[in-house]
């Protein structure tokens, strides 16, 4: 009896062993197959753009051309970024503009110094924590509060760019507006993407002036190739070119912004001309950390970008990350991302209003790193207890992908990484004097406390800046030289996009174009997210075997990257998922 039991057990053990061996063989075969397939699958659609002197990579070819024109005139990286940004306002109005805000990182080659600039929108003085609650004190839906005046924050882009120009500009301020003014007056061809996004959005939620600009009388979106003129924006830009920030923050433009916000037919807001006059852009300390002997610098609060990227990288870092797109690498990065996002969602908000604990404390990071197993997913991560952690509620704020990123390196080796936004596509859909206003205030938490009554760090408060995920980033080689300038749009997916690009360069030694085209994936403490067209990669089954729940979705990153080689040559990669272009000499 016993023998037979043993025999049965032995047979079972044998069977299990055989299955295991077969699985290992299959797993190795899959890995080998995956490697062969991966190399085919991930070869980019085009080669990176190369240059020896200067380069810009921006979200639209006309913007890249305007930036390059400034560089060729002897302009600085800051000049090129400002000129390109003004053109983006016109030709990529769904993503960014003077009605919104942004963050900019600047590297001065002469003194090897990094400056960080904060042009984030602010809540009006009348804003209160219950701004986005309904009559039953329940959070309203995002879709419900985005259109109209309530979601509009005081725009910060113009003030920030003026500050950057004062610090790092070479060409006259007014010159930087000429390409955009000329295009606004003479017209530009509507791009395929702009036309498609307008068709998808439909005319109904746009305020009247925006509807008349973007759609014909029957409500059909301007088709691709249609020459669209924007004389009102040309006039606005001319005023700012002549009067500087005062032309925007004081006088008629400010008055019209406040009127449009307050008199919006949908969700009227409470912004006053005084709120606009009071806006101040800030110089902030960049947040820097180490990864694989590199120094990586990015934007700190009110952005969660740099802290979450640096936490993810620090928690994923191993002597051997795993080869390109292996299950090991994706698992490690996703698990690290879960831990980092759990902390982000609890602790990061505008540091002028809340205390943010030291999320990069080395002891804390080692403790958190120990939570990662290489053989099984942790499922959902909880926020940790970093040193001096304040009592803070769990926050489920979501962000949308109406953002753009540009990277510049000038002939003196200075660099700019600029990420700017009007929040969701076409922002609040309210147009003033030719530009769209943002809906950035929906980046705040709609609830102000969690179920346990703990205050949510990212709750609405007067004059506060909503938490962002924008992550303009600079990477420095172990010897200290600038090595990479990058960033992306994508709401909170910006964070995994930038992580992917850094790992693609540092761990996998890929060129700038391959990096941006690699399949997008994310571990945001939800399911493992993978770009839908790569859902059938063998590695996905391996991740399932590690316990990951898989979610596929479109992930239209707009990663725009410059890599500076050790011999000084520049390599630019523009993301084909959007309409960006790299241009240089
Ligand atoms: N509105 C996008 C962001 O700030 O992350």
């Amino acid at each position: 009896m016993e023998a037979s039991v043993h025999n049965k057990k032995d047979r079972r053990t044998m069977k299990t062993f055989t299955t295991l061996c077969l699985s290992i063989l299959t797993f190795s075969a899959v890995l080998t197959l995956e490697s062969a397939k991966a190399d085919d699958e991930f070869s980019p659609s085009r080669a990176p753009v190369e240059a020896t002197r200067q380069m810009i990579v921006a979200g639209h070819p006309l913007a890249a051309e305007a930036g390059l024109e400034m560089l060729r005139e002897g302009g600085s990286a800051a000049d090129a970024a400002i000129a390109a940004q003004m053109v983006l306002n016109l030709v990529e109005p769904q993503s960014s503009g003077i009605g919104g805000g942004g963050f900019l990182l600047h590297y001065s080659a002469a003194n090897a110094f990094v400056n960080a600039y904060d042009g984030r929108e602010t809540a009006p003085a009348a804003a209160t924590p219950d701004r986005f609650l309904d009559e039953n004190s329940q959070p309203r839906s995002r879709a419900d509060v985005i259109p109209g005046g309530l979601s509009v924050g005081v725009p910060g882009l113009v003030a920030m760019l003026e500050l950057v120009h004062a610090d790092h500009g070479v060409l006259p301020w007014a010159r930087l507006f000429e390409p955009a003014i000329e295009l606004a007056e003479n017209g530009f061809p509507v791009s395929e993407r702009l036309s498609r996004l307008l068709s998808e959005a439909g005319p109904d939620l746009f305020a009247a002036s925006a509807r008349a600009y973007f759609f014909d009388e029957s409500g059909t979106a301007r088709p691709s190739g249609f020459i669209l003129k924007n004389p009102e924006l040309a006039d606005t830009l001319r005023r700012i070119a002549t009067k500087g920030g005062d032309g925007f923050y004081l006088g008629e433009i400010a008055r019209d912004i406040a009127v449009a916000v307050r008199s919006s037919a949908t969700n009227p807001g409470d912004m006053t001309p005084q709120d606009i006059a009071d806006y101040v852009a800030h110089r902030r300390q960049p947040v820097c950390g180490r990864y694989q002997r590199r120094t990586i610098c990015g934007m700190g609060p009110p952005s969660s970008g740099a802290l979450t990227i640096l936490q993810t990288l620090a928690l994923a870092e191993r002597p051997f990350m795993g080869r390109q797109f292996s299950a090991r690498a994706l698992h490690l990065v996703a698990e690290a991302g879960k831990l980092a996002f759990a902390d982000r969602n609890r602790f990061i908000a505008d540091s002028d209003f809340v205390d943010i604990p030291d999320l990069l404390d080395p002891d804390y990071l080692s403790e958190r790193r120990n939570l990662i197993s290489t053989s099984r997913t942790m499922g959902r991560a909880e926020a940790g207890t970093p040193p001096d952690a304040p009592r803070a509620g769990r926050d489920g704020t979501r962000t949308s992908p109406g953002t753009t990123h540009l990277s510049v390196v000038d002939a003196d080796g200075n660099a700019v990484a600029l990420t700017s936004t009007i929040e969701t596509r076409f922002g609040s859909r309210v147009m003033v004097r030719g530009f769209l206003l943002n809906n950035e205030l929906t980046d705040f938490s709609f609830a102000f406390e969690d179920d346990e009554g703990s205050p949510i760090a990212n709750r609405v408060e007067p004059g506060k800046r909503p938490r962002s995920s924008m992550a303009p980033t600079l990477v420095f080689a172990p010897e200290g030289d600038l090595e990479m300038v990058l960033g992306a749009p994508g709401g909170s997916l910006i964070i995994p996009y930038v992580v992917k690009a850094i790992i693609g360069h540092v761990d996998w030694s890929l060129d700038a174009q391959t990096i941006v085209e690699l399949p997008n994936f994310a571990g945001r403490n939800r399911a493992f997210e993978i770009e839908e067209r790569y859902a059938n990669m063998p590695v996905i089954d391996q991740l399932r075997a590690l316990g990951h729940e898989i979610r596929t979705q479109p992930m239209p990153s707009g990663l725009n990257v410059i890599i500076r080689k050790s011999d000084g040559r520049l390599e630019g990669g523009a993301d084909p998922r959007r309409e960006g272009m790299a241009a240089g000499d």
Side-chain angles (χ1 to χ4, degrees), residues 485-538:
V485 185
L486 74 159
S492 63
L493 283 168
I494 291 171
I495 291 162
Y497 294 158
V498 171
V499 166
K500 175 197 82 169
I502 293 172
I503 290 172
H505 172 63
V506 170
D507 294 274
W508 299 331
S509 306
L510 300 171
D511 68 58
Q513 190 60 35
T514 308
I515 285 167
V516 303
E517 293 197 30
L518 282 174
N520 283 322
F521 70 98
R524 288 188 290 176
N525 210 16
R526 307 174 190 171
F528 180 93
E529 297 163 274
I530 181 82
E531 200 172 359
E532 66 187 359
R533 63 183 141 145
Y534 297 106
N536 295 325
M537 287 194 302

Side-chain angles (χ1 to χ4, degrees), residues 175-203:
R175 170 72 186 107
L176 310 179
F177 289 74
E178 286 174 12
I181 292 171
E182 195 182 317
L183 281 165
E185 264 170 357
N186 298 332
F188 70 96
V190 168
S191 72
E192 186 278 325
R193 181 173 162 81
L194 172 55
S195 180
R196 178 167 50 79
L197 295 181
L198 284 168
S199 297
E200 282 171 18

Side-chain angles (χ1 to χ4, degrees), residues 50 53 56 110 140-141 186 224 249 382 412 483 497 560:
E50 296 194 349
R53 192 176 155 74
I56 177 165
R140 293 173 64 188
S141 78
N186 298 332
S224 166
Y249 290 94
E382 291 297 328
D412 293 324
E483 196 176 18
Y497 294 158
N560 288 329

Side-chain angles (χ1 to χ4, degrees), residues 103 120 303 344 399-403 421-424 440 443 466-470 490-492 494:
F103 297 111
R120 187 67 164 166
S303 184
R344 167 195 183 270
T399 57
S400 311
T403 303
T421 188
I422 53 171
E423 214 314 87
T424 199
E440 218 67 54
D443 274 357
R467 180 181 62 212
S468 172
S469 302
M470 291 192 287
S492 63
I494 291 171

Side-chain angles (χ1 to χ4, degrees), residues 22-23 64 134 152-153 157 184 187 195 250 286 321 399 414 419 438 513 557:
L22 280 173
S23 307
D134 66 17
V152 181
L157 190 69
S195 180
L250 307 173
M321 161 64 74
T399 57
N414 306 307
T419 313
N438 68 84
Q513 190 60 35
S557 53

Side-chain angles (χ1 to χ4, degrees), residues 200-539:
E200 282 171 18
D204 295 348
L205 294 175
F206 284 86
S209 58
R211 196 181 312 138
Y213 176 64
F214 288 124
F215 298 87
D216 69 14
E217 281 168 10
S218 72
T220 303
R222 303 294 182 199
S224 166
F226 179 88
I227 301 299
L228 191 56
K229 296 184 181 175
N230 192 337
E232 281 201 296
L233 181 63
D235 177 66
T236 300
L237 294 180
R238 206 172 275 113
R239 285 168 188 252
I240 301 169
T242 314
K243 296 185 183 166
D246 285 355
F248 184 85
Y249 290 94
L250 307 173
E252 291 172 8
I253 297 178
R255 181 203 62 201
D256 287 359
I257 293 173
V259 167
V261 165
R262 297 175 79 91
S263 64
S264 172
T266 319
N267 294 322
D270 45 15
M271 190 184 294
T272 64
Q274 193 60 46
D275 288 321
I276 302 170
D278 288 345
Y279 185 85
V280 181
H282 295 302
R283 291 185 192 87
R284 303 247 186 216
Q285 281 292 335
V287 171
C288 298
R290 305 276 293 168
Y291 176 68
Q292 302 284 26
R293 298 172 53 238
R294 268 65 172 193
T295 300
I296 296 172
C297 293
M299 195 70 219
S303 184
S304 61
L307 283 172
T308 312
I309 287 167
L310 289 168
Q311 260 207 347
T312 305
L313 290 171
L315 297 173
E317 187 170 9
R318 300 287 183 282
F320 174 62
M321 161 64 74
R323 66 183 309 288
Q324 185 184 324
F325 258 72
S326 58
R328 175 183 162 83
L330 298 197
H331 171 76
L332 278 175
V333 177
E335 296 294 282
K338 287 178 180 196
L339 293 165
F341 264 88
D343 276 0
R344 167 195 183 270
N345 292 351
R346 191 174 290 261
F347 297 118
I348 306 179
D350 184 346
S351 53
D352 291 343
F353 285 73
V354 294
D355 291 329
I356 300 174
D358 184 359
L359 297 173
L360 300 177
D361 176 77
D363 293 337
Y364 175 62
L365 288 175
S366 342
E367 195 188 292
R368 296 285 276 173
R369 195 181 293 114
N370 289 339
L371 299 175
I372 300 178
S373 150
T374 47
S375 57
R376 191 80 198 158
T377 177
M378 68 182 73
R380 295 286 184 276
E382 291 297 328
T385 315
D388 302 322
R391 181 166 169 255
R394 193 197 302 257
D395 171 10
T397 313
R398 302 255 160 149
T399 57
S400 311
T403 303
T404 198
H405 175 82
L406 62 85
S407 297
V408 194
V409 175
D410 70 22
D412 293 324
N414 306 307
V416 163
L418 166 61
T419 313
S420 56
T421 188
I422 53 171
E423 214 314 87
T424 199
R425 284 174 190 155
F426 306 104
S428 65
R429 317 244 166 132
V430 176
M431 193 170 230
V432 177
R433 291 177 174 259
F435 61 90
L436 286 165
L437 295 178
N438 68 84
N439 66 292
E440 218 67 54
L441 301 188
T442 60
D443 274 357
F444 279 119
S445 167
F446 285 20
F448 54 83
E449 58 183 24
D450 71 3
D451 296 343
E452 286 153 22
S454 298
I456 292 174
N458 187 35
R459 64 190 176 278
V460 183
E461 293 181 76
K464 191 175 178 182
R465 299 174 185 218
R467 180 181 62 212
S468 172
S469 302
M470 291 192 287
T473 304
L474 302 171
V475 179
F476 297 91
E479 303 73 35
D481 295 332
L482 178 72
E483 196 176 18
M484 202 175 181
V485 185
L486 74 159
S492 63
L493 283 168
I494 291 171
I495 291 162
Y497 294 158
V498 171
V499 166
K500 175 197 82 169
I502 293 172
I503 290 172
H505 172 63
V506 170
D507 294 274
W508 299 331
S509 306
L510 300 171
D511 68 58
Q513 190 60 35
T514 308
I515 285 167
V516 303
E517 293 197 30
L518 282 174
N520 283 322
F521 70 98
R524 288 188 290 176
N525 210 16
R526 307 174 190 171
F528 180 93
E529 297 163 274
I530 181 82
E531 200 172 359
E532 66 187 359
R533 63 183 141 145
Y534 297 106
N536 295 325
M537 287 194 302
V539 73

